[in-house]
Amino acid sequence: MAQLAPHVRSVPANQIREITQAAWARPDSIVLSIGEPGFPTPGHILDAARATLDRDETGYTPNAGIAPLRQAFAQRTGAGIGREVDPGRVFITSGAQQGLHLAMSVLLDAGDEILVPNPGYPTFAMTAALLHAVPVEYPLYPEHGFQPRIEDIEALLTPRTRVLLLNSPSNPLGAVFSADLTRDLVDLARRHDLWIISDECYEAFTFDVPHVSPLAFDGVDGERVITSLTLSKTYGLTGLRIGALVLPAGMEPVLNTVMESIVSCVASPSQYAALAALTGPQDYVEEASAHYRANRDAACTVLDEKGINYLQAEGAFYLWADVSHVSGGNVRDWTLRFLDRQGVAVAPGTAFGSIGEGWIRIALCGDRAELLEGLGRLPGRPALPQPAGKRSAA
């Protein structure tokens, strides 16, 4: 039998899917391993998609998407960075993942290096490898709050480094970059003539801190930042596959050509549903954000009671927790055993990189009672023994 391409055969399995599919095979499982918003889609969004079909608007759209939707994304982005964004810089994509693929396609040649976070979302490295590029992991260490450090990134630069990929709010960490750190990262890219791909899937969900986009520091018309956005998480539209890239001015002709060669255009019902989401009532976003915050706080209470360390999430809808006291140096195997014995699926930290060993990602987006039931089955961390001669307070 003819062989598949070597670079495809070498792409590792996605451990998030591995544990989640194992959980789906058990009808009674509590699934905390995948970021699937649990709210019904707002009716006005569904109505917009149906109306597109009812009027038989099912032909091709422009490669870059319908004009009103590009305008709506531009207005949302401009409001976030405090200045107008030309809708001509907005390119509608079939979800954030296709957006990342498109961005890497136009920036990376075979053998070029892209800096990706460790821990970070696994498709960052997977997509680069499928394009014959080389993902190079920059470390996010627990002792630094899982935040990137300029010196750690600069130490990894080589003549082949072309792109720095940033993700704030972070999946899996829930960490959020400050304005100062974001500015420093853009300055680093400028000094070393790097592109930045900024994955901002969770920009709508931050808690007591602002979301700061690298676009805010990239010049009026853009210079080196490509921003990847999606409505999958913001409005619970994971299955409609709708997102956008915000490009530096002048890149549109290239993206048109690349998009034509991959998928031509995004489905028109999804585009009109997205338009309704962006321009209609925003109750869904407000209610979802409040739900995720309340779930985070309730989950932290359970982990505190069990003595389990975690990173306090400032954004997204995940909690990053340390189970090294029970995982035995192989958290991937431990999550499979935990599912088998306790019926609860959590994502192993190694799905997101080597620094994730001993950690798990807990999705906070579902039903609170189910979340707390699942976390209640986690084995607690034993209390440290007290020194001889010391006694607990009465």
Side-chain angles (χ1 to χ4, degrees):
M1 179 179 176
Q3 294 294 308
L4 298 174
H7 74 289
V8 172
R9 299 200 304 269
S10 65
V11 174
N14 188 321
Q15 294 179 36
I16 307 168
R17 284 287 176 179
E18 176 186 56
I19 188 71
T20 303
Q21 288 173 348
W24 286 340
R26 294 177 45 138
D28 59 341
S29 294
I30 296 175
V31 182
L32 306 178
S33 55
I34 194 167
E36 180 73 60
F39 299 102
T41 304
H44 69 281
I45 299 176
L46 298 176
D47 289 343
R50 292 189 193 98
T52 308
L53 297 173
D54 288 342
R55 63 177 179 264
D56 195 20
E57 194 165 340
T58 56
Y60 290 121
T61 75
N63 294 128
I66 59 174
L69 181 56
R70 299 173 74 193
Q71 177 70 41
F73 268 112
Q75 289 177 341
R76 180 183 180 89
T77 302
I81 64 173
R83 64 170 184 269
E84 290 188 6
V85 172
D86 183 351
R89 294 171 54 193
V90 176
F91 202 98
I92 306 305
T93 65
S94 186
Q97 185 54 51
Q98 190 201 46
L100 292 172
H101 183 267
L102 286 169
M104 291 188 201
S105 295
V106 300
L107 301 182
L108 294 167
D109 203 353
D112 285 346
E113 294 173 354
I114 175 172
L115 295 163
V116 300
N118 174 12
Y121 195 63
T123 64
F124 297 158
M126 292 166 65
T127 303
L130 287 172
L131 293 168
H132 300 274
V134 180
V136 176
E137 297 176 343
Y138 60 88
L140 307 177
Y141 293 121
E143 57 265 34
H144 301 301
F146 292 99
Q147 297 279 344
R149 298 194 305 167
I150 301 300
E151 58 267 38
D152 291 334
I153 295 174
E154 286 192 311
L156 296 169
L157 298 177
T158 76
R160 299 294 297 180
T161 309
R162 292 273 289 163
V163 178
L164 171 62
L165 194 147
L166 303 176
N167 177 213
S168 174
S170 165
N171 176 10
L173 303 168
V176 176
F177 298 168
S178 68
D180 287 344
L181 175 57
T182 305
R183 183 186 297 107
D184 289 346
L185 289 164
V186 175
D187 287 344
L188 177 150
R190 190 173 289 116
R191 285 198 309 274
H192 297 282
D193 197 24
L194 303 178
W195 292 97
I196 288 176
I197 297 176
S198 179
D199 178 359
E200 301 179 26
C201 282
Y202 297 91
E203 48 87 21
F205 304 122
T206 60
F207 312 117
D208 303 318
V209 296
H211 166 65
V212 181
S213 173
L215 274 178
F217 307 107
D218 192 41
V220 175
D221 293 321
E223 175 191 347
R224 62 186 64 252
V225 177
I226 297 179
T227 303
S228 176
L229 303 169
T230 180
L231 303 190
S232 290
K233 311 299 184 179
T234 310
Y235 298 95
L237 305 181
T238 52
L240 288 186
R241 311 309 306 138
I242 195 77
L245 292 177
V246 182
L247 317 167
M251 289 187 67
E252 301 90 343
V254 174
L255 261 293
N256 275 326
T257 301
V258 174
M259 185 69 165
E260 180 65 29
S261 70
I262 293 175
V263 71
S264 295
C265 60
V266 176
S268 52
S270 293
Q271 293 195 58
Y272 282 100
L275 179 61
L278 287 170
T279 60
Q282 299 300 299
D283 306 42
Y284 178 99
V285 183
E286 296 166 6
E287 292 170 7
S289 184
H291 176 76
Y292 302 150
R293 178 197 288 265
N295 274 10
R296 180 202 64 176
D297 294 345
C300 288
T301 297
V302 173
L303 297 184
D304 286 337
E305 292 170 350
K306 289 179 170 289
I308 296 175
N309 296 324
Y310 56 88
L311 179 68
Q312 178 72 346
E314 294 184 322
F317 46 58
Y318 303 105
L319 200 57
W320 187 245
D322 180 0
V323 295
S324 57
H325 60 292
V326 290
S327 60
N330 189 334
V331 74
R332 181 183 188 180
D333 283 356
W334 179 83
T335 58
L336 292 169
R337 292 197 304 273
F338 184 57
L339 172 62
D340 182 58
R341 297 170 184 173
Q342 296 293 337
V344 180
V346 291
T350 48
F352 309 96
S354 58
I355 296 176
E357 181 56 68
W359 294 76
I360 57 173
R361 188 195 72 174
I362 301 160
L364 302 171
C365 45
D367 175 74
R368 187 168 308 141
E370 189 171 73
L371 168 68
L372 298 182
E373 172 63 27
L375 295 184
R377 300 179 192 178
L378 285 171
R381 183 182 292 273
L384 293 174
Q386 293 187 329
K390 299 272 188 175
R391 298 183 64 183
S392 300

